[in-house]
């Protein structure tokens, strides 16, 4: 959750160097956690960041936040069912 918020904040403030680092961290964490959709979208955002396509990047960052929040909600739901 903190990483998603930091990605969104870095994008909003134009801190692209920090955004790249956060996208790589988020992708690694999502891969270890078993969230392939988040991995895919984070890598797509990282690719677009390198191309400097800010319009496409804005759309993908928004999608990353949505997919990330949905994935986290699903993980929480699963963990509650296991209790």
């Amino acid at each position: 959750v903190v990483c998603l918020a930091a990605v969104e904040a870095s994008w909003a403030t134009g801190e692209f160097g920090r955004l790249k680092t956060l996208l790589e961290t988020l992708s690694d964490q999502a891969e270890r956690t078993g969230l392939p959709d988040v991995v895919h979208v984070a890598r797509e955002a990282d690719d677009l960041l390198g191309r400097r396509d800010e319009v496409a990047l804005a759309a993908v960052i928004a999608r990353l936040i949505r997919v990330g929040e949905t994935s986290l909600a699903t993980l929480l739901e699963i963990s509650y069912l296991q209790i």
Side-chain angles (χ1 to χ4, degrees), residues 9-61:
S10 293
W11 164 250
T13 58
E15 297 176 67
F16 298 117
R18 182 171 180 243
L19 179 59
K20 180 163 184 55
T21 300
L22 289 167
L23 289 169
E24 291 168 356
T25 300
L26 179 59
S27 178
D28 291 343
Q29 289 176 350
E31 194 162 33
R32 285 194 310 268
T33 312
L35 302 171
D37 292 342
V38 176
V39 173
H40 174 76
V41 180
R43 288 181 179 162
E44 187 176 347
D46 190 33
D47 181 53
L48 288 169
L49 184 61
R51 290 194 226 166
R52 303 253 183 223
D53 187 344
E54 292 186 22
V55 174
L57 182 59
V60 173
I61 292 293

